[in-house]
Amino acid sequence: MFPSFPFTRLAALTALGLALAIPAHAHKASDAYLRISDNAVATDAGAGLGGNELSTATASPGTASASAAGALSLSLSIALKDVDAAVDQLDADADRLLTWGEVRQAAGVIAQWVGSGVRWTCAGAAVAPPAWRLAALEQRSDGRYARLQATLDCAPGQPLALGYSLMQGVDPTHRLLVAGSLDGRPLAAVLVPDGRSTTDLRSAAGDIGEAQGLATGDESAAPRGGLATLLHFVGEGVHHILEGYDHLAFLLALLLPITLWQRQAGQGAASAPWGWQQVPDGHANSGRWAGLRALFVTVTCFTLGHSVTLALAGLGIVQVSGNWVEPAIAVSIGISALLNLYPVRGLRGSWLALGFGLVHGLGFSGVLVEAGVSGGLLLWALAGFNLGVEAGQLALVALWCVVSMVLMRWRLYNTVVVRGGSAALVALSLYWTVQRVAFAG
């Protein structure tokens, strides 16, 4: 039999190779943010970077026209990495670093691209593409974004529909998060550039009965009312957790040492690195129930932890910077995996799951916070998003249980899967941590 250390080293090298193909901000999918406002005057929402703002003379033409009757203020923020992937020759000097000068030089091309992918209809009639203006660069949790602004004429009460196709065929994970207000009512919706029919935004902001909105089965309508908004954001929560590779890696680090199946007497028992009570050989049923209890407690603690901070950050009670949250999430993976390899007596995985769950919740909250969902729909969107995260998480835990109960019958399970997998997660954590600290600096 081969010694155990080659498996661990091989797993670590494999994870390092995989890490090179995964973005540093692994939990953050491709998102764009559209804010619609029917306020009297458009505002420059978002934090621009020093020296990256256009002059007043360049950025302001047309913004005051939002005071005209029926004029809506539009502010679209889209990641520079997405713009670079969709617009040719944006990086003029090919140094893989987009500067404000390069973005400003390509402002016309970017505006034309946005105009072709963001289409409007008012009262059933197509509206000429608004004149998008590049206003600034802004810093978000996953990098720099270009913020464009425009105004759109559509009289209050008239049906307003949005067709969105930016990044279609470029990035299948892309989403557009819409927030703001229409006719004085809060607006919240998530659009996918999949080529389907346009979305009725007036319904999203209106007070149409929830039962009516759910009963019609009209996929072209944005969520109507609180309950429909909750259901709408459940899907976004599921999408977010499935794309959140760092959150999944942390969850895996917690689950790896939990033994759900006990070997028969004479076959040797798998170790319990976290200090879960080891069941003597021959007590298979007791061992199985102990493992299920450990699994339930760990997942529940992680859920409680990230649900608390997701709610606090989503409601604006707690405000944190992604400059430390993102590296902390990566570090949490490494610490959990290291404790699988070098356990600390008395330290329970449930407590670690609860503590680091608080940090991960701040990472989850980034989508809703940056989307700017507010008003009466915020609580519904927050609840739906959290339910979606939990649903996706439970589905993946169930899948892991099925896979692990098969793998646990392998005599090298503890060496290759638990210890080798933990070493791989340590390598992945180190890679993500270095990248995120460098990004934050």
Side-chain angles (χ1 to χ4, degrees):
M1 183 179 72
F2 293 103
S4 61
F5 68 88
F7 294 104
T8 300
R9 291 182 179 178
L10 178 60
L13 291 175
T14 302
L16 186 58
L18 290 173
L20 297 177
I22 300 177
H25 299 271
H27 84 275
K28 185 69 165 61
S30 173
D31 296 319
Y33 304 92
L34 175 64
R35 188 162 188 85
I36 302 176
S37 175
D38 49 11
N39 293 333
V41 180
T43 58
D44 280 348
L49 297 172
N52 291 338
E53 299 284 350
L54 285 177
S55 66
T56 303
T58 305
S60 62
T63 56
S65 64
S67 61
L72 302 173
S73 301
L74 309 176
S75 179
L76 174 68
S77 297
I78 186 164
L80 286 186
K81 65 179 184 293
D82 290 339
V83 178
D84 188 34
V87 179
D88 293 334
Q89 299 179 343
L90 185 61
D91 186 8
D93 55 10
D95 63 351
R96 302 184 65 182
L97 179 64
L98 294 178
T99 65
W100 172 239
E102 290 173 331
V103 175
R104 183 167 52 182
Q105 185 176 1
V109 177
I110 297 174
Q112 184 178 9
W113 172 65
V114 169
S116 66
V118 182
R119 304 174 306 281
W120 303 89
T121 59
C122 180
V127 177
W132 289 98
R133 303 170 301 280
L134 182 64
L137 296 186
E138 59 187 26
Q139 186 70 53
R140 292 179 178 262
S141 65
D142 59 334
R144 288 184 172 185
Y145 279 62
R147 187 171 78 245
L148 296 94
Q149 294 178 326
T151 57
L152 180 71
D153 290 327
C154 186
Q158 294 289 343
L160 175 65
L162 167 61
Y164 185 74
S165 59
L166 291 183
M167 303 301 294
Q168 184 177 354
V170 179
D171 189 340
T173 71
H174 184 73
R175 298 289 188 273
L176 175 70
L177 285 85
V178 184
S181 64
L182 281 174
D183 303 333
R185 298 184 178 92
L187 170 67
V190 180
L191 278 70
V192 181
D194 58 0
R196 290 184 296 181
S197 57
T198 56
T199 297
D200 181 1
L201 295 179
R202 291 287 188 193
S203 294
D207 55 0
I208 300 176
E210 295 173 12
Q212 175 187 349
L214 293 174
T216 59
D218 182 8
E219 294 184 358
S220 67
R224 305 173 178 180
L227 181 57
T229 297
L230 181 146
L231 296 176
H232 189 69
F233 275 86
V234 166
E236 185 60 21
V238 173
H239 168 78
H240 190 70
I241 188 64
L242 293 180
E243 295 292 331
Y245 305 117
D246 47 0
H247 298 297
L248 299 181
F250 175 75
L251 192 60
L252 178 60
L254 294 176
L255 298 180
L256 272 176
I258 298 177
T259 303
L260 297 178
W261 178 84
Q262 193 70 28
R263 290 177 174 84
Q264 298 296 325
Q267 290 182 298
S271 63
W274 274 115
W276 299 112
Q277 184 177 1
Q278 187 65 51
V279 179
D281 290 344
H283 293 71
N285 290 330
S286 299
R288 185 180 300 111
W289 286 113
L292 289 175
R293 285 195 299 270
L295 177 69
F296 174 79
V297 171
T298 299
V299 173
T300 300
C301 286
F302 181 56
T303 297
L304 289 175
H306 70 64
S307 295
V308 168
T309 47
L310 171 60
L312 292 176
L315 295 173
I317 299 174
V318 174
Q319 295 182 350
V320 296
S321 170
N323 288 344
W324 72 263
V325 171
E326 303 299 332
I329 290 174
V331 169
S332 71
I333 301 169
I335 292 177
S336 301
L338 277 173
L339 287 171
N340 292 341
L341 299 172
Y342 306 101
V344 176
R345 181 178 296 275
L347 180 60
R348 303 289 295 227
S350 56
W351 289 108
L352 200 75
L354 178 62
F356 281 139
L358 296 172
V359 178
H360 282 248
L362 297 174
F364 284 132
S365 68
V367 172
L368 290 178
V369 171
E370 295 188 346
V373 180
S374 59
L377 296 181
L378 175 58
L379 288 176
W380 292 101
L382 184 61
F385 186 80
N386 193 49
L387 287 175
V389 168
E390 304 316 324
Q393 176 180 291
L394 290 176
L396 291 168
V397 169
L399 177 62
W400 165 249
C401 288
V402 174
V403 173
S404 64
M405 290 187 71
V406 174
L407 292 177
M408 282 178 187
R409 300 174 184 271
W410 184 27
R411 62 189 179 87
L412 295 178
Y413 173 81
N414 189 53
T415 299
V416 178
V417 179
V418 178
R419 299 189 64 82
S422 297
L425 289 173
V426 170
L428 192 59
S429 167
L430 179 61
Y431 177 78
W432 277 339
T433 301
V434 170
Q435 278 201 329
R436 294 177 183 192
V437 169
F439 171 83

